[in-house]
Amino acid sequence: MTTLLATVVLLGVLIFVHELGHFWAAKAVGIGVERFSIGLGPRVWGYTRGETEYVLSAIPLGGYVKMQGMDDEVMEHLEGGASDAPRRPDPRDFDAKPIWARAFVISAGVIMNMLFALVGFSAKAAFWGFEEIATTRVMAVADSTLPAGTEALADIAPGAEIVRIGNTGLQSWNQVQRAFVELPPGVVSVVTETPSATFQIEIPDGLEDRRALALSLVPWVEARVGRVTSGSAADRAAILPGDLVTSVTAVPVASWTDMVREIAARPGERVEIGIMRDGTPLLRVAELEVVEDGEGERGQLGVYQATVHVSVGLGEAVAYGVSETNRITRLILGFLRDLVTLNVSPRDVGSIGTIAVASGDAASRGMAEFLEFMALFSINLAILNMLPIPVLDGGHMVFLGLELVRGQKLTVKQRIRWSQVGLWVVVAIMVWALGNDLLRFLGL
């Protein structure tokens, strides 16, 4: 039920946002809007206000804004049938508007999806803060990279916890690093516990020296489980958030790094995982998953590090939203490039099944994670819509580009012919992706 509800909310909200972009843009440049539909196919429910009919349609895998005078036979069929009523050209027709206005309307859905992602990432940071590694313990200090004036930090005992740098209290390793980078130059005290000690150092003037200082300390992250991926090897083995992993196949584990190394070395193996839960030692048996990367196969348990949420200001939250939107956009474009060049397997492409599983998993981890997943998927939706395939927004942009180069529009017959080809391409991609989902479901 959680997966179903999460998928409905995800698709409903993002389709609405996308089509709302087209709707607002059309209104802004004086194009008449005949229908605003969430869903494709026959009308299920709706009402009319002014010149526009607002509709929920039967197939919840898309939506559309039917603009006055936009000749598109393919979309007419997707909308549930074309109207046979004759009509005269009107100044408020889509095709009567200049190229810039039509390009703005076509691209507005993608723009809204990108803005939704930016707002979503920013809102997550503003309301829930940053998710950071929940440790301030030091594993080691690289004394060879310590800048002048900070050599005293080489005496920090392994396992010591940094509790304060100057007047700054600390909750996470990210805060430790930021303190070293952002504090003004001058003498400060670095206070540790277990063992208790105080170290006087001088924060250097240069930014590069301060960054070198921050990177000279290596964190000690204990092998404590923060989150378990639904359906993973850890989930099947009943490993829970908060468990401390103490061994893998009788090999002692002292840190997260130790655990990852031992797990990675055993792809597909059935292993015994020693854990400590509320002071009680337990043993769990897990069949590790196999993950392939550039260096070959490695084992995967399906757990994440324990983290804390650190509050940030609005400016920092917006900066994070911009940075994350840019990062995810680059990742998705990189995946599409690798797909075309066959550097990733076509089997990695998924459809509604993959979306549903990911939506349910994100929703099960809380509102913050679900909002972040919605932002990520909104970027994915924007990029896919801009692919140069007729019937998609990118295909319509190609038509406008050809019109700009040729100095005249493609005929309605030409656009219809290419849109029919585009529709078959989209259907083929959907069938291919659905087939991948089915094979994954069958374990093939």
Side-chain angles (χ1 to χ4, degrees), residues 106 384-397 426:
I106 293 300
L384 292 181
N385 263 286
M386 285 307 289
L387 293 177
I389 301 173
V391 310
L392 298 180
D393 293 339
H396 286 292
M397 293 295 286
V426 171

Coordinates of all heavy atoms in Angstrom, one line a residue, residues 106 384-397 426:
I106 N 6.4 25.3 -25.1 CA 6.8 23.9 -25.1 C 7.8 23.6 -24.0 O 7.8 22.5 -23.4 CB 7.4 23.6 -26.5 CG1 6.3 23.7 -27.6 CG2 8.1 22.2 -26.5 CD1 5.2 22.7 -27.4
L384 N 14.0 13.5 -19.9 CA 13.4 12.6 -20.8 C 12.4 13.3 -21.7 O 12.3 13.0 -22.9 CB 12.7 11.5 -20.1 CG 13.6 10.5 -19.3 CD1 12.7 9.4 -18.6 CD2 14.6 9.8 -20.2
N385 N 11.7 14.3 -21.2 CA 10.8 15.1 -22.1 C 11.5 15.9 -23.1 O 10.9 16.3 -24.1 CB 9.9 16.0 -21.2 CG 8.6 15.3 -20.9 OD1 7.7 15.3 -21.7 ND2 8.4 14.8 -19.6
M386 N 12.8 16.2 -22.9 CA 13.5 17.0 -23.9 C 14.3 16.2 -24.9 O 15.0 16.7 -25.7 CB 14.4 18.0 -23.1 CG 13.7 19.2 -22.5 SD 12.6 20.1 -23.6 CE 13.9 20.9 -24.7
L387 N 14.1 14.8 -24.8 CA 14.7 14.0 -25.9 C 14.1 14.4 -27.2 O 12.9 14.6 -27.3 CB 14.5 12.5 -25.6 CG 15.3 12.0 -24.4 CD1 14.9 10.5 -24.2 CD2 16.8 12.1 -24.5
P388 N 14.9 14.4 -28.3 CA 14.4 14.9 -29.6 C 13.5 13.8 -30.3 O 13.8 13.4 -31.4 CB 15.6 15.2 -30.4 CG 16.7 14.2 -29.8 CD 16.3 14.1 -28.3
I389 N 12.4 13.4 -29.6 CA 11.5 12.4 -30.2 C 10.2 13.1 -30.4 O 9.6 13.6 -29.4 CB 11.4 11.2 -29.2 CG1 12.7 10.5 -29.0 CG2 10.4 10.2 -29.8 CD1 12.7 9.5 -27.9
P390 N 9.6 13.1 -31.6 CA 8.3 13.7 -31.8 C 7.3 13.0 -30.9 O 7.4 11.9 -30.5 CB 8.0 13.3 -33.3 CG 9.4 13.1 -33.9 CD 10.3 12.6 -32.8
V391 N 6.4 13.8 -30.5 CA 5.3 13.6 -29.4 C 5.8 14.1 -28.0 O 5.0 14.3 -27.1 CB 4.7 12.2 -29.3 CG1 4.2 11.8 -30.6 CG2 5.6 11.2 -28.7
L392 N 7.2 14.1 -27.8 CA 7.7 14.6 -26.6 C 8.0 16.1 -26.8 O 8.1 16.6 -27.9 CB 9.0 13.9 -26.2 CG 8.9 12.4 -25.9 CD1 10.3 11.9 -25.5 CD2 7.9 12.1 -24.8
D393 N 8.2 16.8 -25.7 CA 8.5 18.3 -25.8 C 9.8 18.5 -26.7 O 9.8 19.5 -27.4 CB 8.7 18.9 -24.4 CG 7.4 18.9 -23.6 OD1 6.4 18.8 -24.2 OD2 7.5 18.9 -22.3
G394 N 10.8 17.7 -26.5 CA 12.0 17.8 -27.3 C 11.7 17.7 -28.8 O 12.3 18.4 -29.6
G395 N 10.8 16.8 -29.2 CA 10.4 16.7 -30.6 C 9.8 17.9 -31.1 O 10.0 18.4 -32.3
H396 N 8.9 18.5 -30.3 CA 8.2 19.8 -30.8 C 9.3 20.9 -30.9 O 9.2 21.8 -31.8 CB 7.2 20.2 -29.7 CG 5.9 19.4 -29.8 ND1 5.1 19.4 -30.9 CD2 5.4 18.5 -29.0 CE1 4.1 18.5 -30.7 NE2 4.2 18.0 -29.5
M397 N 10.3 20.9 -30.0 CA 11.4 21.9 -30.1 C 12.2 21.7 -31.4 O 12.6 22.7 -32.1 CB 12.3 21.8 -28.9 CG 11.6 22.3 -27.6 SD 11.1 24.0 -27.6 CE 12.7 24.8 -27.4
V426 N 8.4 5.8 -28.7 CA 8.1 5.9 -27.2 C 7.5 4.6 -26.7 O 7.9 4.1 -25.7 CB 7.2 7.1 -26.9 CG1 6.7 7.0 -25.5 CG2 7.9 8.4 -27.2

